[in-house]
Amino acid sequence: MKKIQILNWILRSLILLTFLATCFSVYIFISLYNSPPIDYSKVFPAYLPYTTILSGALFLVAMIYLQLSVNLFIKQGFFNTKSSGYLKLGAIFLALFGLTDITIATINNAFKANYDLLDYLNNNSSHIVTLIVTIGIFIVADIIKSGVTIKQENDLTI
């Protein structure tokens, strides 16, 4: 149970850091929007602030749902229906986060003159790992849901 509590604190820290980073992105976006007209398109694409805020928000929501699930593990034990549902919602938002960032990188890479597949895979390796972790979270959620069913049947037979 100590490891679950450590995971709970790590997720809380990630939530705080993600919230602060998203707020900082919004602040930068607002300050760039209110600055004198300067052409920032040579530095970064015009849609980059929107995608950064979207990615941050998706990751923040995913971490909140995963933290809620871990918190329920601590309070109610491993086999409860709510934690399984929160795990699935967290995995859905984490998958959306990974797919959004891969899509953004694909759009950015499509406009480059020299398209390099290895460079593209190198830049997206963390997002591909995020999708693999998401599949693992879905599997754990299904195992917990099956465990709830087995626990209920076991309680009825005794």
Side-chain angles (χ1 to χ4, degrees):
M1 191 57 84
K2 188 73 173 168
K3 293 176 185 175
I4 298 294
Q5 291 173 342
I6 292 171
L7 178 63
N8 190 27
W9 283 104
I10 290 172
L11 287 173
R12 286 182 182 190
S13 301
L14 273 174
I15 289 169
L16 179 65
L17 288 174
T18 305
F19 178 74
L20 291 174
T22 304
C23 289
F24 185 68
S25 297
V26 169
Y27 171 75
I28 289 176
F29 175 68
I30 290 172
S31 62
L32 286 178
Y33 184 75
N34 291 330
S35 67
I38 299 173
D39 186 19
Y40 289 105
S41 63
K42 295 177 182 173
V43 180
F44 54 83
Y47 56 85
L48 185 66
Y50 300 111
T51 59
T52 304
I53 294 169
L54 175 67
S55 294
L58 287 172
F59 188 73
L60 179 66
V61 172
M63 290 301 110
I64 288 172
Y65 277 121
L66 292 176
Q67 194 273 330
L68 286 172
S69 176
V70 170
N71 202 19
L72 282 174
F73 286 152
I74 293 170
K75 290 180 180 177
Q76 297 179 0
F78 288 111
F79 298 112
N80 59 66
T81 310
K82 282 186 177 180
S83 63
S84 174
Y86 285 149
L87 271 179
K88 282 187 180 181
L89 284 172
I92 289 169
F93 281 105
L94 199 60
L96 287 173
F97 164 72
L99 290 173
T100 301
D101 283 353
I102 287 174
T103 304
I104 292 165
T106 303
I107 291 170
N108 286 339
N109 209 18
F111 295 113
K112 288 184 179 178
N114 52 356
Y115 179 80
D116 186 14
L117 180 63
L118 289 177
D119 184 44
Y120 174 75
L121 290 175
N122 186 32
N123 291 336
N124 285 320
S125 62
S126 62
H127 304 302
I128 294 168
V129 169
T130 301
L131 293 177
I132 293 169
V133 167
T134 300
I135 293 169
I137 292 172
F138 275 121
I139 291 170
V140 169
D142 284 341
I143 290 171
I144 291 172
K145 190 175 181 180
S146 298
V148 168
T149 306
I150 292 171
K151 182 180 175 190
Q152 288 173 347
E153 289 175 0
N154 192 19
D155 290 343
L156 292 174
T157 58
I158 294 178

